[in-house]
PDB file of all heavy atoms in Angstrom:
ATOM      1  N   ASP F 276     114.618 150.286  25.132  1.00 89.00           N
ATOM      2  CA  ASP F 276     115.483 149.291  24.524  1.00 89.00           C
ATOM      3  C   ASP F 276     116.895 149.828  24.266  1.00 89.00           C
ATOM      4  O   ASP F 276     117.885 149.139  24.480  1.00 89.00           O
ATOM      5  CB  ASP F 276     114.888 148.676  23.308  1.00 89.00           C
ATOM      6  CG  ASP F 276     113.651 147.822  23.575  1.00 89.00           C
ATOM      7  OD1 ASP F 276     113.430 147.514  24.787  1.00 89.00           O
ATOM      8  OD2 ASP F 276     112.821 147.667  22.670  1.00 89.00           O
ATOM      9  N   ALA F 277     116.945 151.057  23.707  1.00 85.00           N
ATOM     10  CA  ALA F 277     118.244 151.685  23.391  1.00 85.00           C
ATOM     11  C   ALA F 277     119.041 151.972  24.668  1.00 85.00           C
ATOM     12  O   ALA F 277     120.213 151.751  24.694  1.00 85.00           O
ATOM     13  CB  ALA F 277     118.006 152.999  22.578  1.00 85.00           C
ATOM     14  N   PHE F 278     118.342 152.378  25.696  1.00 87.00           N
ATOM     15  CA  PHE F 278     118.988 152.651  26.993  1.00 87.00           C
ATOM     16  C   PHE F 278     119.533 151.397  27.556  1.00 87.00           C
ATOM     17  O   PHE F 278     120.674 151.300  27.989  1.00 87.00           O
ATOM     18  CB  PHE F 278     117.961 153.284  27.935  1.00 87.00           C
ATOM     19  CG  PHE F 278     118.526 153.547  29.317  1.00 87.00           C
ATOM     20  CD1 PHE F 278     119.289 154.694  29.566  1.00 87.00           C
ATOM     21  CD2 PHE F 278     118.228 152.684  30.387  1.00 87.00           C
ATOM     22  CE1 PHE F 278     119.769 154.932  30.817  1.00 87.00           C
ATOM     23  CE2 PHE F 278     118.763 152.970  31.614  1.00 87.00           C
ATOM     24  CZ  PHE F 278     119.510 154.082  31.876  1.00 87.00           C
ATOM     25  N   LYS F 279     118.745 150.316  27.586  1.00 89.00           N
ATOM     26  CA  LYS F 279     119.149 149.039  28.157  1.00 89.00           C
ATOM     27  C   LYS F 279     120.325 148.407  27.343  1.00 89.00           C
ATOM     28  O   LYS F 279     121.149 147.726  27.909  1.00 89.00           O
ATOM     29  CB  LYS F 279     117.985 148.064  28.205  1.00 89.00           C
ATOM     30  CG  LYS F 279     116.997 148.448  29.234  1.00 89.00           C
ATOM     31  CD  LYS F 279     115.885 147.438  29.471  1.00 89.00           C
ATOM     32  CE  LYS F 279     115.610 146.424  28.447  1.00 89.00           C
ATOM     33  NZ  LYS F 279     114.437 145.610  28.669  1.00 89.00           N
ATOM     34  N   SER F 280     120.383 148.681  26.049  1.00 88.00           N
ATOM     35  CA  SER F 280     121.460 148.128  25.239  1.00 88.00           C
ATOM     36  C   SER F 280     122.832 148.622  25.638  1.00 88.00           C
ATOM     37  O   SER F 280     123.865 148.045  25.298  1.00 88.00           O
ATOM     38  CB  SER F 280     121.190 148.343  23.742  1.00 88.00           C
ATOM     39  OG  SER F 280     121.480 149.706  23.410  1.00 88.00           O
ATOM     40  N   GLN F 281     122.876 149.787  26.365  1.00 87.00           N
ATOM     41  CA  GLN F 281     124.128 150.427  26.736  1.00 87.00           C
ATOM     42  C   GLN F 281     124.562 150.036  28.144  1.00 87.00           C
ATOM     43  O   GLN F 281     125.578 150.385  28.659  1.00 87.00           O
ATOM     44  CB  GLN F 281     124.021 151.915  26.685  1.00 87.00           C
ATOM     45  CG  GLN F 281     123.745 152.390  25.227  1.00 87.00           C
ATOM     46  CD  GLN F 281     124.766 151.954  24.282  1.00 87.00           C
ATOM     47  OE1 GLN F 281     125.948 152.156  24.465  1.00 87.00           O
ATOM     48  NE2 GLN F 281     124.328 151.348  23.179  1.00 87.00           N
ATOM     49  N   LEU F 282     123.692 149.289  28.851  1.00 88.00           N
ATOM     50  CA  LEU F 282     123.937 148.913  30.307  1.00 88.00           C
ATOM     51  C   LEU F 282     124.910 147.745  30.432  1.00 88.00           C
ATOM     52  O   LEU F 282     124.808 146.777  29.591  1.00 88.00           O
ATOM     53  CB  LEU F 282     122.645 148.617  30.984  1.00 88.00           C
ATOM     54  CG  LEU F 282     121.592 149.732  31.186  1.00 88.00           C
ATOM     55  CD1 LEU F 282     120.347 149.187  31.827  1.00 88.00           C
ATOM     56  CD2 LEU F 282     122.207 150.799  32.086  1.00 88.00           C
ATOM     57  N   LYS F 283     125.712 147.757  31.438  1.00 87.00           N
ATOM     58  CA  LYS F 283     126.528 146.594  31.772  1.00 87.00           C
ATOM     59  C   LYS F 283     125.839 145.760  32.824  1.00 87.00           C
ATOM     60  O   LYS F 283     126.125 144.619  32.933  1.00 87.00           O
ATOM     61  CB  LYS F 283     127.865 147.092  32.244  1.00 87.00           C
ATOM     62  CG  LYS F 283     128.735 147.741  31.155  1.00 87.00           C
ATOM     63  CD  LYS F 283     130.105 148.107  31.691  1.00 87.00           C
ATOM     64  CE  LYS F 283     131.022 148.542  30.606  1.00 87.00           C
ATOM     65  NZ  LYS F 283     130.673 149.713  29.883  1.00 87.00           N
ATOM     66  N   THR F 284     124.944 146.371  33.583  1.00 86.00           N
ATOM     67  CA  THR F 284     124.194 145.660  34.600  1.00 86.00           C
ATOM     68  C   THR F 284     122.786 145.305  34.048  1.00 86.00           C
ATOM     69  O   THR F 284     122.109 146.112  33.518  1.00 86.00           O
ATOM     70  CB  THR F 284     123.972 146.613  35.825  1.00 86.00           C
ATOM     71  OG1 THR F 284     125.256 147.074  36.283  1.00 86.00           O
ATOM     72  CG2 THR F 284     123.218 145.880  36.962  1.00 86.00           C
ATOM     73  N   PRO F 285     122.446 144.001  34.138  1.00 87.00           N
ATOM     74  CA  PRO F 285     121.117 143.573  33.628  1.00 87.00           C
ATOM     75  C   PRO F 285     119.986 144.129  34.454  1.00 87.00           C
ATOM     76  O   PRO F 285     120.090 144.368  35.626  1.00 87.00           O
ATOM     77  CB  PRO F 285     121.195 142.096  33.686  1.00 87.00           C
ATOM     78  CG  PRO F 285     122.200 141.790  34.772  1.00 87.00           C
ATOM     79  CD  PRO F 285     123.172 142.935  34.780  1.00 87.00           C
ATOM     80  N   THR F 286     118.871 144.315  33.783  1.00 90.00           N
ATOM     81  CA  THR F 286     117.619 144.715  34.515  1.00 90.00           C
ATOM     82  C   THR F 286     116.997 143.501  35.102  1.00 90.00           C
ATOM     83  O   THR F 286     117.193 142.377  34.665  1.00 90.00           O
ATOM     84  CB  THR F 286     116.665 145.413  33.588  1.00 90.00           C
ATOM     85  OG1 THR F 286     116.244 144.537  32.564  1.00 90.00           O
ATOM     86  CG2 THR F 286     117.204 146.665  32.974  1.00 90.00           C
ATOM     87  N   GLN F 287     116.238 143.755  36.200  1.00 91.00           N
ATOM     88  CA  GLN F 287     115.508 142.724  36.883  1.00 91.00           C
ATOM     89  C   GLN F 287     114.033 143.159  36.947  1.00 91.00           C
ATOM     90  O   GLN F 287     113.752 144.344  37.085  1.00 91.00           O
ATOM     91  CB  GLN F 287     116.034 142.495  38.276  1.00 91.00           C
ATOM     92  CG  GLN F 287     117.433 142.135  38.310  1.00 91.00           C
ATOM     93  CD  GLN F 287     118.002 142.115  39.753  1.00 91.00           C
ATOM     94  OE1 GLN F 287     117.372 142.499  40.694  1.00 91.00           O
ATOM     95  NE2 GLN F 287     119.210 141.632  39.899  1.00 91.00           N
ATOM     96  N   PHE F 288     113.094 142.159  36.918  1.00 89.00           N
ATOM     97  CA  PHE F 288     111.706 142.514  37.032  1.00 89.00           C
ATOM     98  C   PHE F 288     111.323 142.401  38.466  1.00 89.00           C
ATOM     99  O   PHE F 288     111.660 141.493  39.185  1.00 89.00           O
ATOM    100  CB  PHE F 288     110.841 141.531  36.213  1.00 89.00           C
ATOM    101  CG  PHE F 288     110.728 141.966  34.817  1.00 89.00           C
ATOM    102  CD1 PHE F 288     111.616 141.430  33.846  1.00 89.00           C
ATOM    103  CD2 PHE F 288     109.788 142.859  34.387  1.00 89.00           C
ATOM    104  CE1 PHE F 288     111.512 141.802  32.524  1.00 89.00           C
ATOM    105  CE2 PHE F 288     109.690 143.287  33.083  1.00 89.00           C
ATOM    106  CZ  PHE F 288     110.549 142.687  32.128  1.00 89.00           C
ATOM    107  N   HIS F 289     110.690 143.451  39.006  1.00 79.00           N
ATOM    108  CA  HIS F 289     110.234 143.504  40.346  1.00 79.00           C
ATOM    109  C   HIS F 289     108.808 143.941  40.330  1.00 79.00           C
ATOM    110  O   HIS F 289     108.509 145.090  40.026  1.00 79.00           O
ATOM    111  CB  HIS F 289     111.114 144.468  41.161  1.00 79.00           C
ATOM    112  CG  HIS F 289     110.712 144.594  42.609  1.00 79.00           C
ATOM    113  ND1 HIS F 289     109.607 145.287  43.006  1.00 79.00           N
ATOM    114  CD2 HIS F 289     111.330 144.153  43.692  1.00 79.00           C
ATOM    115  CE1 HIS F 289     109.496 145.219  44.329  1.00 79.00           C
ATOM    116  NE2 HIS F 289     110.561 144.511  44.722  1.00 79.00           N
ATOM    117  N   GLY F 290     107.877 143.081  40.570  1.00 76.00           N
ATOM    118  CA  GLY F 290     106.419 143.475  40.543  1.00 76.00           C
ATOM    119  C   GLY F 290     105.927 143.918  39.174  1.00 76.00           C
ATOM    120  O   GLY F 290     105.075 144.844  39.044  1.00 76.00           O
ATOM    121  N   GLY F 291     106.518 143.322  38.139  1.00 79.00           N
ATOM    122  CA  GLY F 291     106.128 143.637  36.787  1.00 79.00           C
ATOM    123  C   GLY F 291     106.799 144.862  36.232  1.00 79.00           C
ATOM    124  O   GLY F 291     106.545 145.347  35.148  1.00 79.00           O
ATOM    125  N   VAL F 292     107.768 145.438  36.950  1.00 89.00           N
ATOM    126  CA  VAL F 292     108.424 146.677  36.531  1.00 89.00           C
ATOM    127  C   VAL F 292     109.978 146.398  36.456  1.00 89.00           C
ATOM    128  O   VAL F 292     110.477 145.662  37.301  1.00 89.00           O
ATOM    129  CB  VAL F 292     108.205 147.817  37.526  1.00 89.00           C
ATOM    130  CG1 VAL F 292     108.982 149.092  37.121  1.00 89.00           C
ATOM    131  CG2 VAL F 292     106.761 148.106  37.685  1.00 89.00           C
ATOM    132  N   GLU F 293     110.634 146.894  35.431  1.00 94.00           N
ATOM    133  CA  GLU F 293     112.048 146.686  35.279  1.00 94.00           C
ATOM    134  C   GLU F 293     112.820 147.579  36.216  1.00 94.00           C
ATOM    135  O   GLU F 293     112.547 148.798  36.241  1.00 94.00           O
ATOM    136  CB  GLU F 293     112.470 146.932  33.864  1.00 94.00           C
ATOM    137  CG  GLU F 293     112.129 145.781  32.922  1.00 94.00           C
ATOM    138  CD  GLU F 293     112.725 145.937  31.573  1.00 94.00           C
ATOM    139  OE1 GLU F 293     112.127 146.781  30.811  1.00 94.00           O
ATOM    140  OE2 GLU F 293     113.741 145.302  31.249  1.00 94.00           O
ATOM    141  N   GLU F 294     113.783 147.058  36.862  1.00 95.00           N
ATOM    142  CA  GLU F 294     114.636 147.811  37.746  1.00 95.00           C
ATOM    143  C   GLU F 294     116.088 147.407  37.593  1.00 95.00           C
ATOM    144  O   GLU F 294     116.404 146.270  37.186  1.00 95.00           O
ATOM    145  CB  GLU F 294     114.275 147.604  39.245  1.00 95.00           C
ATOM    146  CG  GLU F 294     112.946 148.171  39.603  1.00 95.00           C
ATOM    147  CD  GLU F 294     112.634 148.030  41.075  1.00 95.00           C
ATOM    148  OE1 GLU F 294     113.312 147.324  41.801  1.00 95.00           O
ATOM    149  OE2 GLU F 294     111.633 148.628  41.493  1.00 95.00           O
ATOM    150  N   ILE F 295     117.010 148.342  37.829  1.00 94.00           N
ATOM    151  CA  ILE F 295     118.434 148.133  37.805  1.00 94.00           C
ATOM    152  C   ILE F 295     118.958 148.366  39.223  1.00 94.00           C
ATOM    153  O   ILE F 295     118.653 149.433  39.805  1.00 94.00           O
ATOM    154  CB  ILE F 295     119.094 149.063  36.772  1.00 94.00           C
ATOM    155  CG1 ILE F 295     118.441 148.989  35.443  1.00 94.00           C
ATOM    156  CG2 ILE F 295     120.605 148.747  36.666  1.00 94.00           C
ATOM    157  CD1 ILE F 295     118.763 150.226  34.583  1.00 94.00           C
ATOM    158  N   HIS F 296     119.699 147.445  39.734  1.00 92.00           N
ATOM    159  CA  HIS F 296     120.183 147.614  41.059  1.00 92.00           C
ATOM    160  C   HIS F 296     121.734 147.820  41.034  1.00 92.00           C
ATOM    161  O   HIS F 296     122.442 146.939  40.513  1.00 92.00           O
ATOM    162  CB  HIS F 296     119.880 146.374  41.947  1.00 92.00           C
ATOM    163  CG  HIS F 296     118.410 146.155  42.083  1.00 92.00           C
ATOM    164  ND1 HIS F 296     117.623 146.854  42.934  1.00 92.00           N
ATOM    165  CD2 HIS F 296     117.525 145.380  41.387  1.00 92.00           C
ATOM    166  CE1 HIS F 296     116.343 146.507  42.808  1.00 92.00           C
ATOM    167  NE2 HIS F 296     116.309 145.582  41.895  1.00 92.00           N
ATOM    168  N   PHE F 297     122.128 148.961  41.534  1.00 87.00           N
ATOM    169  CA  PHE F 297     123.566 149.240  41.631  1.00 87.00           C
ATOM    170  C   PHE F 297     123.881 149.183  43.168  1.00 87.00           C
ATOM    171  O   PHE F 297     123.034 148.951  43.953  1.00 87.00           O
ATOM    172  CB  PHE F 297     123.908 150.643  41.106  1.00 87.00           C
ATOM    173  CG  PHE F 297     123.594 150.810  39.606  1.00 87.00           C
ATOM    174  CD1 PHE F 297     122.474 151.419  39.186  1.00 87.00           C
ATOM    175  CD2 PHE F 297     124.451 150.272  38.694  1.00 87.00           C
ATOM    176  CE1 PHE F 297     122.189 151.532  37.835  1.00 87.00           C
ATOM    177  CE2 PHE F 297     124.222 150.356  37.322  1.00 87.00           C
ATOM    178  CZ  PHE F 297     123.066 150.989  36.886  1.00 87.00           C
ATOM    179  N   SER F 298     125.086 149.509  43.534  1.00 87.00           N
ATOM    180  CA  SER F 298     125.500 149.353  44.946  1.00 87.00           C
ATOM    181  C   SER F 298     124.595 150.178  45.881  1.00 87.00           C
ATOM    182  O   SER F 298     124.154 149.578  46.890  1.00 87.00           O
ATOM    183  CB  SER F 298     126.947 149.813  45.070  1.00 87.00           C
ATOM    184  OG  SER F 298     127.137 151.127  44.709  1.00 87.00           O
ATOM    185  N   GLN F 299     124.375 151.396  45.674  1.00 93.00           N
ATOM    186  CA  GLN F 299     123.553 152.211  46.577  1.00 93.00           C
ATOM    187  C   GLN F 299     122.341 152.865  45.868  1.00 93.00           C
ATOM    188  O   GLN F 299     121.824 153.844  46.363  1.00 93.00           O
ATOM    189  CB  GLN F 299     124.445 153.340  47.186  1.00 93.00           C
ATOM    190  CG  GLN F 299     125.472 152.769  48.120  1.00 93.00           C
ATOM    191  CD  GLN F 299     124.929 152.086  49.339  1.00 93.00           C
ATOM    192  OE1 GLN F 299     123.927 152.516  49.959  1.00 93.00           O
ATOM    193  NE2 GLN F 299     125.467 150.869  49.676  1.00 93.00           N
ATOM    194  N   GLN F 300     122.021 152.322  44.708  1.00 94.00           N
ATOM    195  CA  GLN F 300     120.874 152.945  43.945  1.00 94.00           C
ATOM    196  C   GLN F 300     120.005 151.843  43.320  1.00 94.00           C
ATOM    197  O   GLN F 300     120.521 150.780  42.993  1.00 94.00           O
ATOM    198  CB  GLN F 300     121.479 153.760  42.819  1.00 94.00           C
ATOM    199  CG  GLN F 300     122.242 154.944  43.218  1.00 94.00           C
ATOM    200  CD  GLN F 300     122.743 155.709  42.005  1.00 94.00           C
ATOM    201  OE1 GLN F 300     122.192 155.675  40.907  1.00 94.00           O
ATOM    202  NE2 GLN F 300     123.909 156.405  42.208  1.00 94.00           N
ATOM    203  N   THR F 301     118.765 152.156  43.251  1.00 95.00           N
ATOM    204  CA  THR F 301     117.816 151.330  42.511  1.00 95.00           C
ATOM    205  C   THR F 301     117.173 152.243  41.483  1.00 95.00           C
ATOM    206  O   THR F 301     116.667 153.368  41.844  1.00 95.00           O
ATOM    207  CB  THR F 301     116.685 150.758  43.397  1.00 95.00           C
ATOM    208  OG1 THR F 301     117.333 149.925  44.383  1.00 95.00           O
ATOM    209  CG2 THR F 301     115.737 149.920  42.599  1.00 95.00           C
ATOM    210  N   VAL F 302     117.268 151.887  40.247  1.00 94.00           N
ATOM    211  CA  VAL F 302     116.679 152.634  39.143  1.00 94.00           C
ATOM    212  C   VAL F 302     115.561 151.887  38.527  1.00 94.00           C
ATOM    213  O   VAL F 302     115.690 150.729  38.089  1.00 94.00           O
ATOM    214  CB  VAL F 302     117.724 152.930  38.070  1.00 94.00           C
ATOM    215  CG1 VAL F 302     117.178 153.788  36.938  1.00 94.00           C
ATOM    216  CG2 VAL F 302     118.967 153.649  38.663  1.00 94.00           C
ATOM    217  N   ARG F 303     114.391 152.538  38.498  1.00 95.00           N
ATOM    218  CA  ARG F 303     113.199 151.908  37.903  1.00 95.00           C
ATOM    219  C   ARG F 303     112.912 152.501  36.566  1.00 95.00           C
ATOM    220  O   ARG F 303     112.982 153.709  36.358  1.00 95.00           O
ATOM    221  CB  ARG F 303     111.957 152.128  38.842  1.00 95.00           C
ATOM    222  CG  ARG F 303     110.729 151.512  38.305  1.00 95.00           C
ATOM    223  CD  ARG F 303     109.576 151.654  39.321  1.00 95.00           C
ATOM    224  NE  ARG F 303     109.776 150.634  40.363  1.00 95.00           N
ATOM    225  CZ  ARG F 303     108.844 150.341  41.267  1.00 95.00           C
ATOM    226  NH1 ARG F 303     107.660 150.974  41.229  1.00 95.00           N
ATOM    227  NH2 ARG F 303     109.059 149.442  42.148  1.00 95.00           N
ATOM    228  N   LEU F 304     112.688 151.639  35.517  1.00 95.00           N
ATOM    229  CA  LEU F 304     112.366 152.102  34.195  1.00 95.00           C
ATOM    230  C   LEU F 304     110.845 152.103  33.984  1.00 95.00           C
ATOM    231  O   LEU F 304     110.225 151.043  34.154  1.00 95.00           O
ATOM    232  CB  LEU F 304     113.065 151.207  33.142  1.00 95.00           C
ATOM    233  CG  LEU F 304     114.559 150.982  33.363  1.00 95.00           C
ATOM    234  CD1 LEU F 304     115.098 150.027  32.265  1.00 95.00           C
ATOM    235  CD2 LEU F 304     115.329 152.283  33.366  1.00 95.00           C
ATOM    236  N   VAL F 305     110.232 153.240  33.661  1.00 93.00           N
ATOM    237  CA  VAL F 305     108.811 153.379  33.481  1.00 93.00           C
ATOM    238  C   VAL F 305     108.465 153.804  32.108  1.00 93.00           C
ATOM    239  O   VAL F 305     108.972 154.859  31.664  1.00 93.00           O
ATOM    240  CB  VAL F 305     108.230 154.326  34.537  1.00 93.00           C
ATOM    241  CG1 VAL F 305     106.756 154.491  34.318  1.00 93.00           C
ATOM    242  CG2 VAL F 305     108.550 153.846  35.999  1.00 93.00           C
ATOM    243  N   LEU F 306     107.638 153.051  31.456  1.00 91.00           N
ATOM    244  CA  LEU F 306     107.154 153.447  30.146  1.00 91.00           C
ATOM    245  C   LEU F 306     105.798 154.038  30.298  1.00 91.00           C
ATOM    246  O   LEU F 306     104.841 153.415  30.825  1.00 91.00           O
ATOM    247  CB  LEU F 306     107.013 152.182  29.253  1.00 91.00           C
ATOM    248  CG  LEU F 306     106.467 152.367  27.856  1.00 91.00           C
ATOM    249  CD1 LEU F 306     107.470 153.232  26.996  1.00 91.00           C
ATOM    250  CD2 LEU F 306     106.259 151.063  27.202  1.00 91.00           C
ATOM    251  N   THR F 307     105.633 155.350  29.900  1.00 88.00           N
ATOM    252  CA  THR F 307     104.364 156.048  30.043  1.00 88.00           C
ATOM    253  C   THR F 307     103.582 156.183  28.719  1.00 88.00           C
ATOM    254  O   THR F 307     102.389 156.305  28.714  1.00 88.00           O
ATOM    255  CB  THR F 307     104.572 157.511  30.609  1.00 88.00           C
ATOM    256  OG1 THR F 307     105.382 158.188  29.750  1.00 88.00           O
ATOM    257  CG2 THR F 307     105.106 157.449  32.022  1.00 88.00           C
ATOM    258  N   GLY F 308     104.293 156.166  27.610  1.00 85.00           N
ATOM    259  CA  GLY F 308     103.656 156.454  26.301  1.00 85.00           C
ATOM    260  C   GLY F 308     103.865 157.909  25.978  1.00 85.00           C
ATOM    261  O   GLY F 308     104.328 158.731  26.740  1.00 85.00           O
ATOM    262  N   ILE F 309     103.527 158.234  24.800  1.00 82.00           N
ATOM    263  CA  ILE F 309     103.715 159.613  24.213  1.00 82.00           C
ATOM    264  C   ILE F 309     102.600 160.531  24.713  1.00 82.00           C
ATOM    265  O   ILE F 309     101.492 160.179  24.809  1.00 82.00           O
ATOM    266  CB  ILE F 309     103.771 159.510  22.686  1.00 82.00           C
ATOM    267  CG1 ILE F 309     104.976 158.664  22.221  1.00 82.00           C
ATOM    268  CG2 ILE F 309     103.892 160.890  22.076  1.00 82.00           C
ATOM    269  CD1 ILE F 309     104.995 158.302  20.786  1.00 82.00           C
ATOM    270  N   THR F 310     102.980 161.731  24.932  1.00 77.00           N
ATOM    271  CA  THR F 310     102.200 162.894  25.362  1.00 77.00           C
ATOM    272  C   THR F 310     102.250 163.091  26.871  1.00 77.00           C
ATOM    273  O   THR F 310     102.295 162.142  27.626  1.00 77.00           O
ATOM    274  CB  THR F 310     100.723 162.966  24.908  1.00 77.00           C
ATOM    275  OG1 THR F 310      99.947 162.182  25.681  1.00 77.00           O
ATOM    276  CG2 THR F 310     100.596 162.615  23.414  1.00 77.00           C
ATOM    277  N   MET F 311     102.145 164.356  27.242  1.00 75.00           N
ATOM    278  CA  MET F 311     102.134 164.648  28.719  1.00 75.00           C
ATOM    279  C   MET F 311     100.913 164.093  29.397  1.00 75.00           C
ATOM    280  O   MET F 311     100.860 163.878  30.621  1.00 75.00           O
ATOM    281  CB  MET F 311     102.106 166.204  28.884  1.00 75.00           C
ATOM    282  CG  MET F 311     103.257 166.901  28.345  1.00 75.00           C
ATOM    283  SD  MET F 311     103.236 168.689  28.765  1.00 75.00           S
ATOM    284  CE  MET F 311     101.564 169.153  28.290  1.00 75.00           C
TER     285      MET F 311
END
């Protein structure tokens, strides 16, 4: 949430996962939870 609050480009849901699409990049945000 803190990361997304700083973005100028909105995230999009793709297959239940949030992604950000820039001109030549796709960034996927993955929540794993705490601990290795």
